Amino acid sequence: MSNPIYLALDVPRLRDAVALAEKVKAHVGGVKLGLEFFNAHGAHGVHMLAQIGLPIFLDLKLHDIPNTVAGAMQAIHVLEPAIVTIHACGGIAMMEDAKAAAGENTKVVGVTMLTSLDEQDLSRMGFPGTPHDYVMRLTEAAHTAGLDGVVCSGQEIKSVHDQWKDGYFVVPGLRPEGSEIGDQKRVVTPRQARDDGASVLVIGRPISRAEDPEAAARAIEATL
């Protein structure tokens, strides 16, 4: 079984990102490059990370009218990402067009609810119900639209997996036992998320900000 850990490389300097990925590459299964990285370093930065030989997860959270999202998806074909995120709340048509425009070997997953949000946040934005209800509604929409899977927190992954047996599920906001949760609100351990059905475990600060990132990545890998 391949390593499900994807290291979130949201560091400001490209050389630091490359050095960190090189340091931990034996203990992770891929690297996640988000908006901070992509806006700072663009396609050049993605190509530099790709040379390390790990799969690339572009966490761009695309969200716009269907035609624009399809065009953006086509524009990143050259980068050959293994995974790309879009917002599931963009609607069925947007998700359908995004998947149709994606590269043949790229998994398109829909972001349901950010792990920095909780029920109070949903209420303030005018969305009724619990985070679980909201995530399950968007998961059903993503499945209907033909996406490969969704992004959800570890608190919803078991229900999502039960509803969509063959889906591809990305779980961010993970924290090993004893770690600080920072700005995350709905967190679980990497092992729990994996046991509940996660395909990809996105882990950033517990590795990238550790005194010894390689040892931290190795320790997390050993729990899986």
Side-chain angles (χ1 to χ4, degrees), residues 177-218:
E177 289 286 354
S179 295
E180 294 183 4
I181 65 172
D183 57 356
Q184 305 293 342
K185 294 183 178 179
R186 295 169 14 258
V187 301
V188 300
T189 65
R191 178 57 188 265
Q192 181 180 338
R194 185 63 166 166
D195 288 347
D196 287 344
S199 309
V200 168
L201 308 172
V202 177
I203 302 174
R205 282 168 280 187
I207 295 175
S208 63
R209 297 188 183 179
E211 185 174 337
D212 185 340
E214 182 182 8
R218 187 190 311 117

Side-chain angles (χ1 to χ4, degrees), residues 97-115:
D97 286 7
K99 178 58 182 173
E104 182 179 354
N105 298 316
T106 297
K107 292 188 182 297
V108 181
V109 294
V111 176
T112 54
M113 180 176 170
L114 301 176
T115 54

Side-chain angles (χ1 to χ4, degrees), residues 18-135:
V18 172
L20 179 58
E22 284 281 8
K23 188 176 296 184
V24 305
K25 66 180 181 181
H27 305 290
V28 301
V31 294
K32 182 192 82 83
L33 307 177
L35 287 174
E36 180 179 348
F37 181 95
F38 196 74
N39 286 338
H41 309 299
H44 169 70
V46 177
H47 285 303
M48 290 293 292
L49 265 299
Q51 291 178 18
I52 294 172
L54 293 170
I56 299 294
F57 171 7
L58 286 182
D59 187 20
L60 301 182
K61 298 183 177 70
L62 301 176
H63 188 184
D64 212 307
I65 63 172
N67 185 64
T68 298
V69 170
M73 195 67 77
Q74 290 173 341
I76 59 176
H77 277 195
V78 66
L79 303 178
E80 299 182 333
I83 311 167
V84 175
T85 52
I86 64 175
H87 267 292
C89 60
I92 299 292
M94 189 204 81
M95 290 190 282
E96 289 176 339
D97 286 7
K99 178 58 182 173
E104 182 179 354
N105 298 316
T106 297
K107 292 188 182 297
V108 181
V109 294
V111 176
T112 54
M113 180 176 170
L114 301 176
T115 54
S116 59
L117 301 177
D118 59 16
E119 186 168 352
Q120 185 177 29
D121 295 312
L122 283 184
S123 178
R124 286 173 174 169
M125 293 185 292
F127 296 111
T130 66
H132 181 273
D133 297 334
Y134 185 71
V135 169

